[in-house]
Amino acid sequence: MPPLSGSPLPGTPSPGSHGAAAPGCHRPGPPGNLPAEPSRFIGRGRELDALAAQVERARLVTVTGVGGVGKTRLALRLATALQDRFCDGAWLAGLTSLTDPALLDHTVAEALGLTDHTDRPPRASLLEQLAERRLLLVLDGCEQLTEACAALVHALLRRAPGLRILVASRRPLGIAGERVFPLPPLSDPEAAELFEDRAGSWLRGGEAERTAAEELCRRLDGIPLALELAAARLGPLSVAQVLERVDDRFRLLAGGVRSALPRHQTLRTAIGWSHELCTPAERLLWARLTVFAGLFDLEAAEYVCSGPELPAEGLLDVLAELVAQSVVVREDTPLGPRYRLLDPVRMYGAGWLDALADGERMRRRHRDWYMGLVTWCELDWFSPRQAEVAARIEAELPNLRIALEYSLEEKGEAHIGQYLAATLWFYWVGCGRLAEGRHWLDRALETEADNEETRLKTLWVLGHVAVLQGDPARAVGALAECRETAEHSGHARGLAYAEHRAGALALVSDDLPRAEELLRSALARFQEIGELNSNVLMGQVELAMAVAFQGDPAGAVRLCEEVRDVCADHGERRSLAYALYVLGFAAWSGGDTAGARPLLEECLAVDHAFHDLVGAVLAVELLALVTLDEGGAEEAAVLQGAAGRLWRSVGLPLFGSRHFNAPHALCERRLREVLGTRRYEECVREGARLDLDAVVARCGPRAERVPVQGTRAAAPPPAAGVRRPETREPAGSPAVEAGETTG
């Protein structure tokens, strides 16, 4: 690694301060999401130093250059070297697969790990949450959304003085204060070193081979991706043979004048030459793989891309050849091996897919695969695989967006778009993605779809999301339409869910008798139709809350103990967290402070694992009261301050509910008496600097220590209002007739 400029970035710790938070920071060390380098980094010493100097002087630097020249690799290399200087770390937001500007803010927030449960525009949340952060943000692949990216970057830089942005794009953003760093190709010695490294044992040495290799590097203009594609062809071909074929193609395209080929055409020509050397099966798979966005796995490729001319059982061998030729990149992830196409390679293959007139069929098959994936993930959400489902959907989000776009824009497919948007309720609600879920649900309901089943499900899911976002007006409208339609058509499941979500809205609106009535009715309807899933369990927990707030903690405990038993039987964790919250509340109310703490700590750990801010902040509020009862007045005030910060990302603090607010108000009153107003407010301000990670670290067990993983030897008796069905099916699955068979 070449040395970086010795002067520290303004306002950031020195390089030697790794692990020590700068003043005003709330973390002990720099976080981030930068990926590990996939191969040896070669050369670029001068460019790294020059780029580091630019980043020290300017808050926005854009690395530009032709495709394949190494913009992303250089930006990530520098970000990794500099991340210790930013107390909030260095983060990568990949935008290459994004085509809809409306999803830009969601994508950046997702990359930064930011969660917001309100109905605010995502940009407002981004600006607020980054306002006091000190971090380096790498935006990769802005060229297809230049105007939208420019507007976002301008707003971020104005609002967040501790933010620096490093962009990798084929074109500048064109905003005030931007420093443009044009990245040239590798120098001749660096290009030769890269080629030799990637060629490996296929280079046997000798003066003739060395001369041919040097000439090949010059002909390929020192563009790293072109060099890697050429190196991947060695073995069947010698260096001299590769050079001869490259030269022949270049002379043809340049009209016989060796220097006439523009540099920006060099990579496309090298990709085209590599394409010509592929077998027909390899070329066909290359084209078909371009329907994927970002990473994909073997099973998806086998379903989407196979056919009579490309059998599924032989697709792995063809894919392996494309990996060996550097056309496809393999990445080992926590979910197993996954694959992707680099953007220039994908663009070239997409042109061939269009030429084959096969794009429409491939996009439909792609959509159908992900519709099948979503269906099975909804089933598996109610199982010990909840965490795996969350990770899988997170990884597949770029492809799911493509599937949603296709369904909502293609004529006759809108009901599939509604089904996808609604069936992903477990992700929108269970993994803290309410804002993006609201985006897709609203879009789905705007489309004309002649399918009552999918519309009813979309309506109640939208009502659920709107309740959690603190938007009662939208929730009331959606749930009223859902109930009216379900009653008119006799749709029992739609009616049950409409009543359930209306009961939840009554609960947070302090209409407890109405909440209890609706929730009991909904649970009875669920039992009648044999519905048992996370939503049903949450309905029983919400009923327990209504019962507890009306002065019957013993009844609430019975309901939540039943929920805890069913959760243990099925490995369900998210509904368990809310049951633990109610049990913790009941324990504290009964004077059992020692019993309340572990319940609330476990609740917080689960909510943190699933990015559920609503459950997490409720747990923190009660933990503050428990901490006060244990004698930790100052720590309790710090926790109240942290909760106040979290509520800004949740919505109206404690839903504006008198009953949910009672523990907070009691705790604050007692703390002001014990600490005095001045000291109390100092502690609250200290807590307001903590994010959820820091709060969880202060409060005890981490998410990975959460139990409830096994299955009981003997199942407990069915919980009141809950009956186990004989079969498992996704709630409200539509009768899908359009499209090919799903995966």
Side-chain angles (χ1 to χ4, degrees), residues 98 100 102-103 106 397-398 400-409 417-418 420-422 424 427-428 433-447 458 462:
L98 200 63
D100 184 358
L103 295 176
H106 294 290
L397 191 55
L400 290 169
R401 288 168 174 161
I402 296 293
L404 281 158
E405 286 281 358
Y406 173 84
S407 300
L408 294 174
E409 293 179 356
Q418 289 182 348
L420 285 169
L424 281 165
Y427 182 66
W428 311 137
R433 301 299 183 196
L434 295 178
E436 182 162 354
R438 178 70 177 270
H439 167 82
W440 290 114
L441 292 162
D442 282 335
R443 275 196 61 182
L445 288 173
E446 290 168 1
T447 60
T458 307
L462 175 60

mmCIF file of all heavy atoms in Angstrom, residues 98 100 102-103 106 397-398 400-409 417-418 420-422 424 427-428 433-447 458 462:
data_model
loop_
_atom_site.group_PDB
_atom_site.id
_atom_site.type_symbol
_atom_site.label_atom_id
_atom_site.label_comp_id
_atom_site.label_asym_id
_atom_site.label_seq_id
_atom_site.Cartn_x
_atom_site.Cartn_y
_atom_site.Cartn_z
ATOM 1 N N LEU A 98 -29.380 0.564 -10.119
ATOM 2 C CA LEU A 98 -30.554 1.394 -9.851
ATOM 3 C C LEU A 98 -30.936 2.173 -11.101
ATOM 4 O O LEU A 98 -30.082 2.798 -11.742
ATOM 5 C CB LEU A 98 -30.235 2.358 -8.706
ATOM 6 C CG LEU A 98 -31.411 2.969 -7.947
ATOM 7 C CD1 LEU A 98 -32.217 1.885 -7.250
ATOM 8 C CD2 LEU A 98 -30.885 3.966 -6.916
ATOM 9 N N ASP A 100 -34.435 3.734 -11.094
ATOM 10 C CA ASP A 100 -35.549 4.596 -10.691
ATOM 11 C C ASP A 100 -35.046 5.642 -9.701
ATOM 12 O O ASP A 100 -34.649 5.306 -8.583
ATOM 13 C CB ASP A 100 -36.647 3.747 -10.054
ATOM 14 C CG ASP A 100 -37.881 4.560 -9.684
ATOM 15 O OD1 ASP A 100 -37.868 5.792 -9.888
ATOM 16 O OD2 ASP A 100 -38.863 3.965 -9.201
ATOM 17 N N ALA A 102 -36.616 7.511 -7.820
ATOM 18 C CA ALA A 102 -37.417 7.511 -6.596
ATOM 19 C C ALA A 102 -36.839 6.587 -5.533
ATOM 20 O O ALA A 102 -37.164 6.724 -4.347
ATOM 21 C CB ALA A 102 -38.855 7.111 -6.904
ATOM 22 N N LEU A 103 -35.992 5.641 -5.942
ATOM 23 C CA LEU A 103 -35.416 4.692 -4.992
ATOM 24 C C LEU A 103 -34.007 5.084 -4.551
ATOM 25 O O LEU A 103 -33.386 4.364 -3.765
ATOM 26 C CB LEU A 103 -35.387 3.289 -5.603
ATOM 27 C CG LEU A 103 -36.748 2.666 -5.899
ATOM 28 C CD1 LEU A 103 -36.567 1.328 -6.589
ATOM 29 C CD2 LEU A 103 -37.555 2.492 -4.616
ATOM 30 N N HIS A 106 -33.769 5.738 -0.723
ATOM 31 C CA HIS A 106 -33.934 4.462 -0.013
ATOM 32 C C HIS A 106 -32.655 3.637 -0.081
ATOM 33 O O HIS A 106 -32.232 3.028 0.910
ATOM 34 C CB HIS A 106 -35.079 3.659 -0.635
ATOM 35 C CG HIS A 106 -36.430 4.276 -0.476
ATOM 36 N ND1 HIS A 106 -37.073 4.356 0.740
ATOM 37 C CD2 HIS A 106 -37.266 4.842 -1.388
ATOM 38 C CE1 HIS A 106 -38.254 4.940 0.573
ATOM 39 N NE2 HIS A 106 -38.396 5.238 -0.702
ATOM 40 N N LEU A 397 -32.734 -7.611 -2.604
ATOM 41 C CA LEU A 397 -33.544 -6.412 -2.809
ATOM 42 C C LEU A 397 -33.364 -5.783 -4.193
ATOM 43 O O LEU A 397 -34.372 -5.394 -4.820
ATOM 44 C CB LEU A 397 -33.246 -5.391 -1.711
ATOM 45 C CG LEU A 397 -34.192 -4.193 -1.634
ATOM 46 C CD1 LEU A 397 -35.641 -4.633 -1.505
ATOM 47 C CD2 LEU A 397 -33.808 -3.285 -0.470
ATOM 48 N N PRO A 398 -32.149 -5.666 -4.750
ATOM 49 C CA PRO A 398 -32.051 -5.107 -6.108
ATOM 50 C C PRO A 398 -32.842 -5.901 -7.140
ATOM 51 O O PRO A 398 -33.493 -5.322 -8.017
ATOM 52 C CB PRO A 398 -30.539 -5.160 -6.393
ATOM 53 C CG PRO A 398 -29.897 -5.101 -5.044
ATOM 54 C CD PRO A 398 -30.813 -5.896 -4.155
ATOM 55 N N LEU A 400 -35.462 -7.834 -6.459
ATOM 56 C CA LEU A 400 -36.884 -7.680 -6.135
ATOM 57 C C LEU A 400 -37.422 -6.355 -6.672
ATOM 58 O O LEU A 400 -38.575 -6.275 -7.122
ATOM 59 C CB LEU A 400 -37.091 -7.770 -4.625
ATOM 60 C CG LEU A 400 -36.883 -9.169 -4.032
ATOM 61 C CD1 LEU A 400 -36.842 -9.111 -2.516
ATOM 62 C CD2 LEU A 400 -37.988 -10.111 -4.498
ATOM 63 N N ARG A 401 -36.601 -5.324 -6.633
ATOM 64 C CA ARG A 401 -37.037 -4.044 -7.205
ATOM 65 C C ARG A 401 -37.285 -4.177 -8.700
ATOM 66 O O ARG A 401 -38.260 -3.631 -9.240
ATOM 67 C CB ARG A 401 -35.983 -2.973 -6.934
ATOM 68 C CG ARG A 401 -35.917 -2.515 -5.486
ATOM 69 C CD ARG A 401 -34.683 -1.679 -5.243
ATOM 70 N NE ARG A 401 -34.662 -1.112 -3.889
ATOM 71 C CZ ARG A 401 -33.560 -0.663 -3.288
ATOM 72 N NH1 ARG A 401 -32.398 -0.721 -3.920
ATOM 73 N NH2 ARG A 401 -33.626 -0.162 -2.071
ATOM 74 N N ILE A 402 -36.392 -4.897 -9.398
ATOM 75 C CA ILE A 402 -36.581 -5.116 -10.827
ATOM 76 C C ILE A 402 -37.886 -5.875 -11.086
ATOM 77 O O ILE A 402 -38.652 -5.553 -12.009
ATOM 78 C CB ILE A 402 -35.386 -5.900 -11.401
ATOM 79 C CG1 ILE A 402 -34.088 -5.086 -11.286
ATOM 80 C CG2 ILE A 402 -35.645 -6.300 -12.846
ATOM 81 C CD1 ILE A 402 -34.056 -3.861 -12.149
ATOM 82 N N ALA A 403 -38.154 -6.900 -10.258
ATOM 83 C CA ALA A 403 -39.381 -7.685 -10.413
ATOM 84 C C ALA A 403 -40.621 -6.833 -10.162
ATOM 85 O O ALA A 403 -41.640 -6.951 -10.876
ATOM 86 C CB ALA A 403 -39.350 -8.880 -9.463
ATOM 87 N N LEU A 404 -40.564 -5.968 -9.157
ATOM 88 C CA LEU A 404 -41.682 -5.080 -8.873
ATOM 89 C C LEU A 404 -41.904 -4.095 -10.020
ATOM 90 O O LEU A 404 -43.044 -3.866 -10.455
ATOM 91 C CB LEU A 404 -41.426 -4.336 -7.561
ATOM 92 C CG LEU A 404 -41.699 -5.128 -6.276
ATOM 93 C CD1 LEU A 404 -40.927 -4.536 -5.103
ATOM 94 C CD2 LEU A 404 -43.196 -5.138 -5.967
ATOM 95 N N GLU A 405 -40.818 -3.498 -10.503
ATOM 96 C CA GLU A 405 -40.924 -2.551 -11.617
ATOM 97 C C GLU A 405 -41.562 -3.214 -12.828
ATOM 98 O O GLU A 405 -42.474 -2.661 -13.455
ATOM 99 C CB GLU A 405 -39.533 -2.023 -11.995
ATOM 100 C CG GLU A 405 -38.948 -1.029 -11.019
ATOM 101 C CD GLU A 405 -39.522 0.364 -11.196
ATOM 102 O OE1 GLU A 405 -40.345 0.573 -12.113
ATOM 103 O OE2 GLU A 405 -39.160 1.249 -10.407
ATOM 104 N N TYR A 406 -41.084 -4.405 -13.174
ATOM 105 C CA TYR A 406 -41.623 -5.105 -14.341
ATOM 106 C C TYR A 406 -43.122 -5.338 -14.181
ATOM 107 O O TYR A 406 -43.914 -5.081 -15.092
ATOM 108 C CB TYR A 406 -40.892 -6.433 -14.527
ATOM 109 C CG TYR A 406 -41.494 -7.297 -15.612
ATOM 110 C CD1 TYR A 406 -41.143 -7.093 -16.946
ATOM 111 C CD2 TYR A 406 -42.417 -8.290 -15.307
ATOM 112 C CE1 TYR A 406 -41.712 -7.865 -17.952
ATOM 113 C CE2 TYR A 406 -42.985 -9.063 -16.301
ATOM 114 C CZ TYR A 406 -42.632 -8.851 -17.623
ATOM 115 O OH TYR A 406 -43.196 -9.609 -18.613
ATOM 116 N N SER A 407 -43.527 -5.826 -13.025
ATOM 117 C CA SER A 407 -44.925 -6.186 -12.825
ATOM 118 C C SER A 407 -45.837 -4.966 -12.828
ATOM 119 O O SER A 407 -46.956 -5.022 -13.343
ATOM 120 C CB SER A 407 -45.083 -6.946 -11.505
ATOM 121 O OG SER A 407 -44.313 -8.133 -11.511
ATOM 122 N N LEU A 408 -45.379 -3.868 -12.248
ATOM 123 C CA LEU A 408 -46.231 -2.688 -12.143
ATOM 124 C C LEU A 408 -46.273 -1.868 -13.431
ATOM 125 O O LEU A 408 -47.164 -1.037 -13.609
ATOM 126 C CB LEU A 408 -45.765 -1.809 -10.979
ATOM 127 C CG LEU A 408 -45.935 -2.436 -9.587
ATOM 128 C CD1 LEU A 408 -45.307 -1.552 -8.520
ATOM 129 C CD2 LEU A 408 -47.411 -2.677 -9.281
ATOM 130 N N GLU A 409 -45.311 -2.103 -14.323
ATOM 131 C CA GLU A 409 -45.277 -1.335 -15.568
ATOM 132 C C GLU A 409 -45.768 -2.135 -16.767
ATOM 133 O O GLU A 409 -46.188 -1.559 -17.766
ATOM 134 C CB GLU A 409 -43.853 -0.834 -15.830
ATOM 135 C CG GLU A 409 -43.379 0.197 -14.823
ATOM 136 C CD GLU A 409 -41.963 0.669 -15.088
ATOM 137 O OE1 GLU A 409 -41.327 0.127 -16.025
ATOM 138 O OE2 GLU A 409 -41.496 1.570 -14.378
ATOM 139 N N GLY A 417 -47.650 -7.358 -9.320
ATOM 140 C CA GLY A 417 -46.959 -6.301 -8.578
ATOM 141 C C GLY A 417 -47.581 -6.079 -7.214
ATOM 142 O O GLY A 417 -46.880 -5.883 -6.216
ATOM 143 N N GLN A 418 -48.929 -6.100 -7.161
ATOM 144 C CA GLN A 418 -49.599 -5.972 -5.862
ATOM 145 C C GLN A 418 -49.242 -7.143 -4.954
ATOM 146 O O GLN A 418 -48.983 -6.957 -3.759
ATOM 147 C CB GLN A 418 -51.114 -5.909 -6.066
ATOM 148 C CG GLN A 418 -51.606 -4.616 -6.691
ATOM 149 C CD GLN A 418 -53.119 -4.582 -6.823
ATOM 150 O OE1 GLN A 418 -53.800 -5.598 -6.659
ATOM 151 N NE2 GLN A 418 -53.664 -3.407 -7.125
ATOM 152 N N LEU A 420 -46.515 -9.014 -4.972
ATOM 153 C CA LEU A 420 -45.137 -8.891 -4.503
ATOM 154 C C LEU A 420 -45.030 -7.831 -3.402
ATOM 155 O O LEU A 420 -44.421 -8.063 -2.355
ATOM 156 C CB LEU A 420 -44.218 -8.531 -5.667
ATOM 157 C CG LEU A 420 -43.888 -9.648 -6.658
ATOM 158 C CD1 LEU A 420 -43.195 -9.082 -7.892
ATOM 159 C CD2 LEU A 420 -43.009 -10.695 -5.995
ATOM 160 N N ALA A 421 -45.612 -6.652 -3.650
ATOM 161 C CA ALA A 421 -45.515 -5.567 -2.667
ATOM 162 C C ALA A 421 -46.165 -5.964 -1.349
ATOM 163 O O ALA A 421 -45.649 -5.646 -0.266
ATOM 164 C CB ALA A 421 -46.166 -4.301 -3.221
ATOM 165 N N ALA A 422 -47.292 -6.670 -1.413
ATOM 166 C CA ALA A 422 -48.010 -7.035 -0.188
ATOM 167 C C ALA A 422 -47.374 -8.227 0.517
ATOM 168 O O ALA A 422 -47.291 -8.259 1.746
ATOM 169 C CB ALA A 422 -49.474 -7.347 -0.523
ATOM 170 N N LEU A 424 -44.385 -9.035 0.675
ATOM 171 C CA LEU A 424 -43.153 -8.611 1.352
ATOM 172 C C LEU A 424 -43.442 -7.868 2.651
ATOM 173 O O LEU A 424 -42.535 -7.241 3.212
ATOM 174 C CB LEU A 424 -42.323 -7.724 0.418
ATOM 175 C CG LEU A 424 -41.507 -8.482 -0.634
ATOM 176 C CD1 LEU A 424 -41.024 -7.541 -1.722
ATOM 177 C CD2 LEU A 424 -40.320 -9.187 0.023
ATOM 178 N N TYR A 427 -40.941 -8.174 5.396
ATOM 179 C CA TYR A 427 -39.687 -7.423 5.266
ATOM 180 C C TYR A 427 -39.909 -5.947 5.562
ATOM 181 O O TYR A 427 -39.150 -5.339 6.322
ATOM 182 C CB TYR A 427 -39.131 -7.610 3.858
ATOM 183 C CG TYR A 427 -37.810 -6.900 3.638
ATOM 184 C CD1 TYR A 427 -36.670 -7.305 4.316
ATOM 185 C CD2 TYR A 427 -37.704 -5.826 2.755
ATOM 186 C CE1 TYR A 427 -35.458 -6.654 4.114
ATOM 187 C CE2 TYR A 427 -36.503 -5.180 2.547
ATOM 188 C CZ TYR A 427 -35.384 -5.599 3.229
ATOM 189 O OH TYR A 427 -34.188 -4.951 3.036
ATOM 190 N N TRP A 428 -40.938 -5.367 4.964
ATOM 191 C CA TRP A 428 -41.207 -3.946 5.221
ATOM 192 C C TRP A 428 -41.418 -3.702 6.721
ATOM 193 O O TRP A 428 -40.835 -2.772 7.292
ATOM 194 C CB TRP A 428 -42.460 -3.480 4.480
ATOM 195 C CG TRP A 428 -42.581 -3.811 3.029
ATOM 196 C CD1 TRP A 428 -43.703 -4.267 2.402
ATOM 197 C CD2 TRP A 428 -41.596 -3.679 1.992
ATOM 198 N NE1 TRP A 428 -43.481 -4.449 1.059
ATOM 199 C CE2 TRP A 428 -42.194 -4.085 0.771
ATOM 200 C CE3 TRP A 428 -40.261 -3.262 1.980
ATOM 201 C CZ2 TRP A 428 -41.499 -4.087 -0.437
ATOM 202 C CZ3 TRP A 428 -39.569 -3.276 0.768
ATOM 203 C CH2 TRP A 428 -40.185 -3.684 -0.408
ATOM 204 N N ARG A 433 -38.135 -1.588 7.099
ATOM 205 C CA ARG A 433 -38.099 -0.971 5.772
ATOM 206 C C ARG A 433 -39.446 -0.349 5.423
ATOM 207 O O ARG A 433 -39.953 -0.491 4.322
ATOM 208 C CB ARG A 433 -37.709 -2.015 4.725
ATOM 209 C CG ARG A 433 -36.372 -2.661 4.955
ATOM 210 C CD ARG A 433 -35.246 -1.658 4.923
ATOM 211 N NE ARG A 433 -33.950 -2.288 5.086
ATOM 212 C CZ ARG A 433 -32.840 -1.647 5.392
ATOM 213 N NH1 ARG A 433 -32.873 -0.330 5.566
ATOM 214 N NH2 ARG A 433 -31.703 -2.288 5.524
ATOM 215 N N LEU A 434 -40.029 0.338 6.386
ATOM 216 C CA LEU A 434 -41.376 0.877 6.186
ATOM 217 C C LEU A 434 -41.437 1.887 5.048
ATOM 218 O O LEU A 434 -42.397 1.900 4.271
ATOM 219 C CB LEU A 434 -41.877 1.528 7.474
ATOM 220 C CG LEU A 434 -42.093 0.602 8.673
ATOM 221 C CD1 LEU A 434 -42.543 1.412 9.879
ATOM 222 C CD2 LEU A 434 -43.106 -0.477 8.350
ATOM 223 N N ALA A 435 -40.432 2.740 4.935
ATOM 224 C CA ALA A 435 -40.495 3.805 3.927
ATOM 225 C C ALA A 435 -40.510 3.224 2.521
ATOM 226 O O ALA A 435 -41.324 3.635 1.678
ATOM 227 C CB ALA A 435 -39.313 4.755 4.100
ATOM 228 N N GLU A 436 -39.622 2.278 2.239
ATOM 229 C CA GLU A 436 -39.632 1.696 0.898
ATOM 230 C C GLU A 436 -40.887 0.852 0.692
ATOM 231 O O GLU A 436 -41.458 0.828 -0.400
ATOM 232 C CB GLU A 436 -38.380 0.861 0.635
ATOM 233 C CG GLU A 436 -38.383 0.297 -0.767
ATOM 234 C CD GLU A 436 -37.032 -0.175 -1.263
ATOM 235 O OE1 GLU A 436 -36.024 0.026 -0.564
ATOM 236 O OE2 GLU A 436 -36.979 -0.754 -2.366
ATOM 237 N N GLY A 437 -41.313 0.148 1.720
ATOM 238 C CA GLY A 437 -42.556 -0.610 1.596
ATOM 239 C C GLY A 437 -43.720 0.290 1.242
ATOM 240 O O GLY A 437 -44.550 -0.040 0.377
ATOM 241 N N ARG A 438 -43.801 1.441 1.892
ATOM 242 C CA ARG A 438 -44.876 2.401 1.602
ATOM 243 C C ARG A 438 -44.808 2.848 0.138
ATOM 244 O O ARG A 438 -45.839 2.992 -0.538
ATOM 245 C CB ARG A 438 -44.756 3.588 2.553
ATOM 246 C CG ARG A 438 -45.772 4.692 2.351
ATOM 247 C CD ARG A 438 -47.178 4.263 2.771
ATOM 248 N NE ARG A 438 -48.114 5.359 2.628
ATOM 249 C CZ ARG A 438 -48.393 6.244 3.585
ATOM 250 N NH1 ARG A 438 -47.788 6.152 4.779
ATOM 251 N NH2 ARG A 438 -49.267 7.208 3.391
ATOM 252 N N HIS A 439 -43.599 3.058 -0.361
ATOM 253 C CA HIS A 439 -43.417 3.456 -1.761
ATOM 254 C C HIS A 439 -44.033 2.435 -2.704
ATOM 255 O O HIS A 439 -44.810 2.790 -3.604
ATOM 256 C CB HIS A 439 -41.921 3.610 -2.059
ATOM 257 C CG HIS A 439 -41.590 3.720 -3.516
ATOM 258 N ND1 HIS A 439 -41.692 4.896 -4.216
ATOM 259 C CD2 HIS A 439 -41.161 2.784 -4.415
ATOM 260 C CE1 HIS A 439 -41.347 4.693 -5.482
ATOM 261 N NE2 HIS A 439 -41.013 3.418 -5.626
ATOM 262 N N TRP A 440 -43.717 1.162 -2.505
ATOM 263 C CA TRP A 440 -44.206 0.126 -3.415
ATOM 264 C C TRP A 440 -45.700 -0.142 -3.210
ATOM 265 O O TRP A 440 -46.433 -0.391 -4.184
ATOM 266 C CB TRP A 440 -43.413 -1.163 -3.219
ATOM 267 C CG TRP A 440 -42.002 -1.073 -3.711
ATOM 268 C CD1 TRP A 440 -40.859 -1.133 -2.971
ATOM 269 C CD2 TRP A 440 -41.583 -0.900 -5.068
ATOM 270 N NE1 TRP A 440 -39.752 -1.008 -3.767
ATOM 271 C CE2 TRP A 440 -40.162 -0.861 -5.065
ATOM 272 C CE3 TRP A 440 -42.256 -0.770 -6.281
ATOM 273 C CZ2 TRP A 440 -39.424 -0.704 -6.236
ATOM 274 C CZ3 TRP A 440 -41.513 -0.603 -7.446
ATOM 275 C CH2 TRP A 440 -40.112 -0.579 -7.416
ATOM 276 N N LEU A 441 -46.175 -0.104 -1.984
ATOM 277 C CA LEU A 441 -47.599 -0.347 -1.730
ATOM 278 C C LEU A 441 -48.466 0.750 -2.350
ATOM 279 O O LEU A 441 -49.510 0.466 -2.956
ATOM 280 C CB LEU A 441 -47.853 -0.449 -0.230
ATOM 281 C CG LEU A 441 -47.242 -1.675 0.458
ATOM 282 C CD1 LEU A 441 -47.164 -1.465 1.960
ATOM 283 C CD2 LEU A 441 -48.047 -2.931 0.127
ATOM 284 N N ASP A 442 -48.041 1.990 -2.194
ATOM 285 C CA ASP A 442 -48.785 3.088 -2.813
ATOM 286 C C ASP A 442 -48.799 2.940 -4.336
ATOM 287 O O ASP A 442 -49.834 3.120 -4.990
ATOM 288 C CB ASP A 442 -48.178 4.442 -2.429
ATOM 289 C CG ASP A 442 -48.580 4.887 -1.026
ATOM 290 O OD1 ASP A 442 -49.644 4.438 -0.542
ATOM 291 O OD2 ASP A 442 -47.842 5.681 -0.414
ATOM 292 N N ARG A 443 -47.643 2.611 -4.915
ATOM 293 C CA ARG A 443 -47.577 2.419 -6.366
ATOM 294 C C ARG A 443 -48.475 1.272 -6.812
ATOM 295 O O ARG A 443 -49.153 1.351 -7.839
ATOM 296 C CB ARG A 443 -46.133 2.132 -6.801
ATOM 297 C CG ARG A 443 -45.282 3.357 -7.024
ATOM 298 C CD ARG A 443 -44.033 3.030 -7.815
ATOM 299 N NE ARG A 443 -44.335 2.496 -9.143
ATOM 300 C CZ ARG A 443 -43.409 2.102 -10.016
ATOM 301 N NH1 ARG A 443 -42.122 2.176 -9.675
ATOM 302 N NH2 ARG A 443 -43.746 1.640 -11.197
ATOM 303 N N ALA A 444 -48.468 0.191 -6.036
ATOM 304 C CA ALA A 444 -49.262 -0.980 -6.412
ATOM 305 C C ALA A 444 -50.752 -0.662 -6.421
ATOM 306 O O ALA A 444 -51.498 -1.131 -7.295
ATOM 307 C CB ALA A 444 -48.968 -2.133 -5.456
ATOM 308 N N LEU A 445 -51.207 0.139 -5.459
ATOM 309 C CA LEU A 445 -52.630 0.458 -5.395
ATOM 310 C C LEU A 445 -53.054 1.477 -6.447
ATOM 311 O O LEU A 445 -54.238 1.613 -6.747
ATOM 312 C CB LEU A 445 -52.983 0.972 -3.997
ATOM 313 C CG LEU A 445 -52.979 -0.095 -2.898
ATOM 314 C CD1 LEU A 445 -53.163 0.538 -1.530
ATOM 315 C CD2 LEU A 445 -54.070 -1.137 -3.155
ATOM 316 N N GLU A 446 -52.080 2.183 -7.016
ATOM 317 C CA GLU A 446 -52.393 3.137 -8.080
ATOM 318 C C GLU A 446 -52.630 2.448 -9.419
ATOM 319 O O GLU A 446 -53.178 3.051 -10.344
ATOM 320 C CB GLU A 446 -51.249 4.154 -8.229
ATOM 321 C CG GLU A 446 -51.145 5.128 -7.065
ATOM 322 C CD GLU A 446 -49.839 5.918 -7.098
ATOM 323 O OE1 GLU A 446 -49.042 5.699 -8.052
ATOM 324 O OE2 GLU A 446 -49.617 6.736 -6.192
ATOM 325 N N THR A 447 -52.195 1.189 -9.531
ATOM 326 C CA THR A 447 -52.326 0.478 -10.802
ATOM 327 C C THR A 447 -53.686 -0.211 -10.892
ATOM 328 O O THR A 447 -54.294 -0.557 -9.881
ATOM 329 C CB THR A 447 -51.224 -0.579 -10.944
ATOM 330 O OG1 THR A 447 -51.336 -1.520 -9.870
ATOM 331 C CG2 THR A 447 -49.854 0.067 -10.915
ATOM 332 N N THR A 458 -52.963 -6.002 -0.290
ATOM 333 C CA THR A 458 -52.202 -4.750 -0.379
ATOM 334 C C THR A 458 -52.795 -3.688 0.531
ATOM 335 O O THR A 458 -52.059 -2.908 1.169
ATOM 336 C CB THR A 458 -52.170 -4.257 -1.833
ATOM 337 O OG1 THR A 458 -51.696 -5.303 -2.684
ATOM 338 C CG2 THR A 458 -51.248 -3.057 -1.986
ATOM 339 N N LEU A 462 -50.824 -2.041 3.625
ATOM 340 C CA LEU A 462 -50.630 -0.590 3.643
ATOM 341 C C LEU A 462 -51.165 -0.008 4.941
ATOM 342 O O LEU A 462 -50.532 0.877 5.552
ATOM 343 C CB LEU A 462 -51.322 0.055 2.444
ATOM 344 C CG LEU A 462 -51.300 1.579 2.420
ATOM 345 C CD1 LEU A 462 -49.872 2.103 2.403
ATOM 346 C CD2 LEU A 462 -52.083 2.117 1.220
#
